[in-house]
């Protein structure tokens, strides 16, 4: 999932007796937490979410988590015994905390980490990294897309919830998933205006627009979307009330996703529907490499103000990686067949 939807995976208040104790470590970043939930679900685990505040020291130098006396967290949910059998973490900011938990457990805890922390991969038992990152090793699994917990049952429920709301729009339904600026990507007013004009072209060609903004969508972009699409067939969610992201994802006949979010693009590609990537601002670095790989694999095409139709195999990495984690846990005696 991206920054958009609420958590859709039930989380155990405490692990069941026959289940290994599993912690998800999160600093609150939604996209990273969702990837952890997706991996836990696919591996058949019932996680306890630990919302923590990693110390500045561990965020800067995660390897220090292995040093005795360094606390695993500077605040948030308590991390005390009994130590978990499994920790799932995502991103460099929680990597040091995960390493510290393994140290505190006497090395017993199995560490599954998502994204490349730029550390020796042997610090982890399973490391899940994007193909466009450099780390490789015997315990490293590479993925093209980000993990997510949105299985067909969840999407079917979301579709039923929102189908009446969108029934008045013409088909095809085109879901538009809008992100926002980040440290390496800026939504300028001129770029947003061009994007809105392209969306108007799609609506004028006969489509109904299902527009979902995200937590990172700034107020000016929300207003530009709402005002710019006011006279065309469109539902524009501006952040108030229940988030329709999953419903729009499920009901769409085709999708347009802004290129700033790896998670949103991955979730769109997992549907197997035509996915058009809107370059609101030019990508660079690893983000540009990611989108080039999606296009080369046939999952996406560039959005230029029109909707194309093609078929592609759904990009669903989560079951594959979940099965690998489950097998590693079986081999380690942490879970049983």
């Amino acid at each position: 999932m991206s920054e958009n939807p609420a958590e859709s995976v039930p989380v155990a208040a405490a692990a069941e007796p026959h289940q290994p104790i599993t912690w998800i470590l999160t600093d609150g970043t939604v996209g990273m937490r969702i990837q952890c939930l997706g991996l836990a679900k696919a591996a058949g685990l019932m996680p306890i979410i630990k919302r923590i505040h990693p110390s500045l020291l561990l965020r800067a130098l995660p390897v220090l988590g292995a040093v005795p006396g360094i606390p695993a967290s500077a605040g948030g949910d308590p991390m005390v015994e009994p130590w978990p059998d499994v920790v799932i973490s995502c991103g460099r900011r929680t990597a040091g905390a995960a390493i510290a938990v393994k140290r505190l457990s006497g090395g017993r805890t199995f560490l599954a980490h998502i994204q490349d922390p730029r550390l020796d991969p042997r610090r982890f038992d399973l490391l899940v990294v994007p193909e466009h990152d450099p780390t490789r090793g015997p315990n490293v699994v590479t993925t093209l897309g980000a993990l997510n917990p949105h299985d067909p049952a969840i999407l079917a429920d979301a579709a039923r919830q929102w189908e009446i709301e969108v029934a008045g729009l013409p088909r095809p339904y085109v879901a538009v998933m809008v992100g926002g600026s980040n440290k390496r990507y800026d939504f300028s007013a001129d770029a947003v205006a061009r994007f809105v004009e392209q969306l108007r072209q799609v609506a004028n060609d006969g489509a109904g627009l299902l527009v979902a903004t995200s937590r990172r969508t700034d107020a000016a972009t929300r207003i530009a979307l709402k005002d710019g699409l006011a006279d065309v067939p469109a539902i524009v969610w501006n952040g108030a009330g229940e988030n329709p992201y999953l419903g729009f994802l499920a009901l769409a006949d085709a999708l347009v996703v802004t290129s700033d979010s790896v998670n949103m693009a991955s979730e769109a590609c997992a549907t197997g529907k035509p996915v058009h990537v809107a370059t609101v601002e030019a990508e660079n670095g690893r983000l540009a490499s990611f989108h080039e790989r999606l296009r080369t694999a046939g999952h996406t095409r560039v959005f230029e103000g029109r909707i194309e139709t093609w078929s592609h195999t759904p990009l669903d990495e989560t079951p594959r990686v979940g099965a690998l984690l489950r097998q590693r846990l079986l081999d380690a005696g942490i879970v049983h067949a």
Side-chain angles (χ1 to χ4, degrees):
M1 185 158 67
S2 68
E3 298 87 351
N4 282 310
E7 291 172 8
S8 56
V9 178
V11 178
E16 298 175 9
H18 62 282
Q19 283 272 350
I21 299 173
T22 302
W23 289 0
I24 284 176
L25 303 186
T26 173
D27 67 351
T29 305
V30 175
M32 293 184 180
R33 182 175 72 245
I34 289 303
Q35 292 192 63
C36 294
L37 284 167
L39 180 55
K41 181 179 181 181
L45 302 172
M46 292 290 288
I48 301 165
I49 292 182
K50 294 285 186 176
R51 294 174 174 86
I52 62 172
H53 305 304
S55 69
L56 292 177
L57 181 63
L58 282 187
R59 287 175 63 172
L61 297 169
V63 71
L64 293 181
V67 176
I70 300 293
S73 175
D77 291 339
M79 293 199 291
V80 296
E81 296 184 85
W83 300 112
D85 303 294
V86 182
V87 160
I88 301 176
S89 52
C90 182
R92 185 176 171 85
R93 285 179 290 187
T94 58
I99 292 170
V101 170
K102 188 175 184 74
R103 166 176 54 83
L104 290 166
S105 74
R108 182 179 61 83
T109 298
F110 186 102
L111 297 191
H113 187 79
I114 304 167
Q115 294 191 356
D116 191 345
R118 302 304 173 91
L119 300 172
D120 185 337
R122 290 174 294 183
R123 296 280 180 186
F124 305 92
D125 298 290
L126 182 67
L127 191 56
V128 183
V129 304
E131 288 181 3
H132 55 262
D133 281 338
T135 297
R136 298 291 186 271
N139 63 329
V140 176
V141 178
T142 60
T143 62
L144 174 55
L147 308 184
N148 74 78
H150 311 321
D151 62 26
I154 287 175
L155 291 176
D157 285 344
R160 284 190 291 270
Q161 181 179 354
W162 288 94
E163 60 187 356
I164 295 177
E165 299 291 331
V166 307
L169 295 179
R171 299 197 80 144
Y173 296 150
V174 176
V176 182
M177 309 309 186
V178 183
S181 301
N182 56 38
K183 289 184 292 186
R184 295 174 294 276
Y185 193 104
D186 181 52
F187 272 34
S188 68
D190 288 345
V192 170
R194 289 193 298 271
F195 177 50
V196 171
E197 186 56 38
Q198 289 178 323
L199 293 177
R200 289 181 58 84
Q201 293 176 35
V202 172
N204 289 332
D205 286 341
L209 303 180
L210 312 177
V211 184
T213 56
S214 79
R215 289 172 176 81
R216 287 190 296 103
T217 310
D218 61 79
T221 299
R222 293 178 191 271
I223 292 170
L225 288 163
K226 186 172 181 60
D227 292 349
L229 302 176
D231 62 340
V232 300
I235 296 174
V236 181
W237 184 70
N238 61 5
E242 189 169 357
N243 192 326
Y245 175 87
L246 286 181
F248 288 1
L249 192 70
L251 290 167
D253 299 301
L255 299 105
V256 174
V257 183
T258 58
S259 64
D260 54 287
S261 173
V262 170
N263 280 12
M264 286 198 304
S266 299
E267 291 164 8
C269 291
T271 66
K273 301 170 184 177
V275 178
H276 304 73
V277 175
T279 301
V280 179
E281 298 284 4
E283 310 94 16
N284 53 53
R286 289 182 294 170
L287 184 60
S289 176
F290 166 71
H291 283 298
E292 182 179 359
R293 289 170 184 266
L294 286 183
R295 288 192 298 272
T296 300
H299 295 295
T300 67
R301 295 183 183 177
V302 175
F303 179 57
E304 297 178 330
R306 65 181 184 275
I307 298 301
E308 302 177 38
T309 300
W310 76 96
S311 60
H312 65 94
T313 302
L315 176 65
D316 196 354
E317 306 274 29
T318 310
R320 176 177 68 88
V321 179
L324 287 170
L325 173 56
R326 184 77 183 182
Q327 186 59 55
R328 298 289 178 91
L329 297 177
L330 281 166
D331 294 344
I334 294 173
V335 299
H336 303 284

